[in-house]
């Protein structure tokens, strides 16, 4: 019964998480029943496209058969395995299991995607955290065996971070205890009262939370208030309901999925407004060159806000009614704005870590920039294809030619080889044009 309850909670949480990202897809998509809607692989591939910013091949149409479903899911699995990140371990996950809608396999796959694209990606930029005593964390031993990095990489990785799970827990422990002396031991019962959720919100926006009042309310009241505040004031999707958490054994993965969203809103962990506690919590040998100046962090956050707003406005403009000339003019306006901002971004997106990694603020800006760039390209292609008569055919042909130049051409290739590849592709594309 307990397992069925946790499975139901995971299904609801993961579905909401997926839909929060599919809302950014063009056109927006919605998953109603996770186990059914994922079977044909179309929405799974759409989710990966939104998360990665990459275009993936997909079999579509009304007459799709099981073989096409298996092909789509297989494409998704191969894409995940190609990421070459330690957390992408698709053990015992086969395309046919997803097509059959097996609940435990589907949930396992979605958890792997969440773990990599949200939790691992965001926590990978946290500085290393000193090992806490075993009494403060009930997940350390299990996390180290479940999610530890491969032995050959462990020495490098653990200098800057623990496993994603431990890093996320210790981040929460840091923000919860820093000003409020609230103890968080795990991603289970520590969250049942709702106090821990409020402590995280308080760390981001102290003005939103009255901790004295929080201590007096019931579990359900605290949970409802925390989820509402996070959604309305911080823009964090409501993935959980009070009844999901106020139970004897809250689902760990669902809580981790929800809490990881707060990392995007938390001030940089290197802010100097500490009272000496940071030296106790974070590894003192964290490389100094990885610290961004306060002004750079402020500018990066402003850029992220601007890019998110531009993406929303771009989507609205793209879906608005109007003549083709008006739409071209609107597109041109957005592209000019974006290109001007990109010049400002270049200097701010120089890697700050020794091994070339970006800080968390830089990574978020880079992702937002790539999303807007992809939206603009997609809109441009759509507009050119919409031109009347032969102009539309030529527009589509030109875009295919541009895309062909970027396929399979590595920057690392020798210049002569690259030139030969480009020449072959141009000749092939020219011949396609003459056949049309």
């Amino acid at each position: 019964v307990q397992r069925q309850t946790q499975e139901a909670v995971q299904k609801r949480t993961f579905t909401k998480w997926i839909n929060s990202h599919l809302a950014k897809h063009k056109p927006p998509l919605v998953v109603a029943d996770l186990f059914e809607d994922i079977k044909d692989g179309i929405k799974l591939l759409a989710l990966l496209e939104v998360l990665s910013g990459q275009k993936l091949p997909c079999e579509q149409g009304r007459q799709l058969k099981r073989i096409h479903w298996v092909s789509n899911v297989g494409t998704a699995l191969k894409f995940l395995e190609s990421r070459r990140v330690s957390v992408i371990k698709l053990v015992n996950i086969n395309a046919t299991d997803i097509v059959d809608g097996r609940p435990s396999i589907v949930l396992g796959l979605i958890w792997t995607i969440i773990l990599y694209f949200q939790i691992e990606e965001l926590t990978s930029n946290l500085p290393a955290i000193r090992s806490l005593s075993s009494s403060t964390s009930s997940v350390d031993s299990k996390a180290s065996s479940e999610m530890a990095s491969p032995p050959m990489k462990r020495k490098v990785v653990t200098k800057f971070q623990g496993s994603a799970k431990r890093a996320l827990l210790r981040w929460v422990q840091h923000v919860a205890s820093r000003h409020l002396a609230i103890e968080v031991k795990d991603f289970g019962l520590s969250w049942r009262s709702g106090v821990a959720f409020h402590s995280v919100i308080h760390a981001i926006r102290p003005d939103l939370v009255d901790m004295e009042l929080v201590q007096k309310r019931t579990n359900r009241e605290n949970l409802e208030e925390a989820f509402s505040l996070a959604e309305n004031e911080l823009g964090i999707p409501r993935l959980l309901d009070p009844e999901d958490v106020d139970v004897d054994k809250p689902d760990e993965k669902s809580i981790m999925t929800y809490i990881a969203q707060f990392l995007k809103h938390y001030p940089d962990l290197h802010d100097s407004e500490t009272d000496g506690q940071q030296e106790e919590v974070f590894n003192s040998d964290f490389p100094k060159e990885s610290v961004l100046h306060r002004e750079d962090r402020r500018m990066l956050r402003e850029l992220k806000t601007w890019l998110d707003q531009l993406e929303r406005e771009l989507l609205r403009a793209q879906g608005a009614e109007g003549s083709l000339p008006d739409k071209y003019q609107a597109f041109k306006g957005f592209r000019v704005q974006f290109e001007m901002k990109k010049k400002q971004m270049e200097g701010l997106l120089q890697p700050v870590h020794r091994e070339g990694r970006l800080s968390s603020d830089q990574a978020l800006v880079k992702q937002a920039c790539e999303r807007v760039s992809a939206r603009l390209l997609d809109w441009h292609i759509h507009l050119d294809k919409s031109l009347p008569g032969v102009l539309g055919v030529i527009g589509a042909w030109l875009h295919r030619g541009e895309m062909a130049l970027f396929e399979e051409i590595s920057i690392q290739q020798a210049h002569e080889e690259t030139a030969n590849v480009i020449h072959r592709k141009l000749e092939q594309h020219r011949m396609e044009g003459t056949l049309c």
Side-chain angles (χ1 to χ4, degrees):
V1 176
Q2 180 67 42
R3 181 177 176 180
Q4 290 176 340
T5 302
Q6 288 192 318
E7 187 177 276
V9 172
Q10 279 184 24
K11 183 182 180 183
R12 288 196 298 271
T13 303
F14 292 178
T15 299
K16 291 174 185 176
W17 182 84
I18 291 169
N19 285 334
S20 73
H21 290 284
L22 287 183
K24 303 170 190 173
H25 187 265
K26 184 178 177 298
L29 299 173
V30 176
V31 168
D33 185 323
L34 178 58
F35 303 149
E36 289 296 321
D37 293 355
I38 203 174
K39 285 182 176 181
D40 62 12
I42 294 174
K43 290 179 180 176
L44 175 60
L45 286 170
L47 173 66
L48 294 176
E49 286 185 346
V50 172
L51 294 171
S52 69
Q54 297 183 33
K55 186 69 178 174
L56 299 174
C58 180
E59 301 275 1
Q60 297 193 61
R62 295 181 180 178
Q63 303 299 322
L64 288 187
K65 297 181 180 179
R66 181 181 173 88
I67 189 172
H68 301 117
W69 294 11
V70 172
S71 174
N72 282 341
V73 175
T75 298
L77 298 183
K78 287 177 184 175
F79 172 74
L80 288 171
E81 289 168 343
S82 73
R83 304 296 285 193
R84 294 192 176 187
V85 177
S86 61
V87 296
I88 299 293
K89 295 176 181 176
L90 302 178
V91 180
N92 297 326
I93 296 181
N94 299 310
T96 52
D97 294 327
I98 304 299
V99 170
D100 291 337
R102 292 182 58 188
S104 61
I105 306 298
V106 171
L107 292 175
L109 174 61
I110 300 303
W111 171 242
T112 299
I113 293 171
I114 292 171
L115 185 63
Y116 173 54
F117 283 101
Q118 178 163 299
I119 299 174
E120 173 73 12
E121 192 166 286
L122 290 173
T123 58
S124 67
N125 289 297
L126 293 177
I129 302 174
R130 285 191 185 279
S131 297
L132 303 176
S133 66
S134 58
S135 63
T136 62
S137 174
S138 63
V139 303
D140 274 6
S141 59
K142 188 161 65 173
S144 62
S145 62
E146 285 180 357
M147 298 184 199
S149 303
M152 66 180 66
K153 295 183 180 179
R154 190 172 299 140
K155 189 173 289 185
V156 176
V157 175
T158 54
K159 183 175 181 181
F160 300 98
Q161 66 183 65
S163 70
K165 183 176 183 179
R166 283 178 291 161
L168 183 60
L169 178 64
R170 290 174 179 173
W171 172 75
V172 170
Q173 290 170 331
H174 171 63
V175 301
S177 63
R178 190 170 175 182
H179 299 299
L180 303 172
I182 293 169
E183 187 178 25
V184 179
K185 294 183 177 181
D186 50 39
F187 286 110
L189 284 173
S190 293
W191 302 85
R192 182 173 184 175
S193 69
V195 175
F197 289 107
H198 280 279
S199 71
V200 174
I201 296 172
H202 183 276
I204 298 169
R205 285 275 306 276
D207 59 301
L208 294 179
V209 181
D210 181 347
M211 291 306 295
E212 287 188 15
L213 183 59
V214 169
Q215 299 287 359
K216 298 175 183 177
R217 286 194 298 235
T218 65
N219 292 359
R220 295 290 175 101
E221 288 172 338
N222 275 335
L223 292 166
E224 176 61 37
E225 177 70 8
F227 300 153
S228 297
L229 277 176
E231 183 174 40
N232 299 329
E233 299 294 336
L234 301 179
I236 292 174
R238 181 181 177 131
L239 305 184
L240 297 170
D241 291 313
E243 55 269 27
D244 296 333
V245 184
D246 188 20
V247 292
D248 291 337
K249 191 176 181 182
D251 181 64
E252 182 180 272
K253 293 176 180 176
S254 297
I255 291 176
M256 285 177 66
T257 301
Y258 180 67
I259 288 300
Q261 299 179 113
F262 287 84
L263 278 168
K264 294 181 182 179
H265 300 265
Y266 186 66
D268 197 291
L269 287 164
H270 292 293
D271 278 353
S272 58
E273 52 176 313
T274 68
D275 51 9
Q277 287 177 306
Q278 187 161 320
E279 285 299 313
E280 298 173 17
V281 180
F282 297 116
N283 197 336
S284 59
D285 66 2
F286 191 73
K288 293 181 180 178
E289 67 266 30
S290 69
V291 181
L292 284 169
H293 294 298
R294 182 186 293 272
E295 180 63 16
D296 288 342
R297 293 198 301 273
R298 182 189 65 77
M299 292 175 67
L300 283 166
R301 287 175 191 147
E302 288 179 357
L303 272 173
K304 174 67 166 57
T305 301
W306 184 86
L307 286 165
D308 288 344
Q309 179 64 27
L310 184 71
E311 184 179 12
R312 288 192 292 270
E313 292 175 359
L314 197 157
L315 287 170
R316 282 197 294 270
Q318 197 172 355
E321 297 293 328
S323 66
L324 195 57
D326 288 343
K327 290 189 173 183
Y328 263 110
Q329 196 62 35
F331 165 76
K332 184 179 177 181
F334 280 109
R335 188 169 67 177
V336 168
Q337 287 184 65
F338 180 62
E339 291 300 329
M340 289 177 66
K341 274 294 184 192
K342 273 181 72 176
K343 294 178 181 178
Q344 180 184 348
M345 295 179 211
E346 289 174 1
L348 291 170
L349 292 181
Q350 295 300 314
V352 295
H353 295 289
R354 282 176 180 165
E355 65 273 34
R357 287 189 299 110
L358 301 177
S359 74
S360 55
D361 285 323
Q362 288 176 315
L364 290 171
V365 168
K366 186 173 183 289
Q367 290 165 13
C369 183
E370 289 171 350
R371 283 199 310 272
V372 172
S373 182
R375 298 284 187 196
L376 284 169
L377 177 61
D378 182 63
W379 194 8
H380 195 185
I381 293 172
H382 178 73
L383 288 172
D384 282 355
K385 286 181 177 178
S386 301
L387 288 168
V390 70
L391 291 176
V393 176
I394 293 172
W397 181 79
L398 286 172
H399 279 293
R400 287 201 305 273
E402 290 174 359
M403 296 304 292
L405 289 179
F406 290 101
E407 288 176 2
E408 302 173 4
I409 299 177
S410 171
I411 295 173
Q412 285 73 34
Q413 288 176 307
H415 295 304
E416 185 177 348
E417 183 183 349
T418 302
N420 290 335
V421 172
I422 292 174
H423 178 72
R424 285 200 309 274
K425 286 184 173 289
L426 284 174
E427 281 298 307
Q428 180 184 353
H429 194 60
R430 183 179 63 79
M431 292 300 296
E432 289 176 359
T434 57
L435 290 175
C436 292

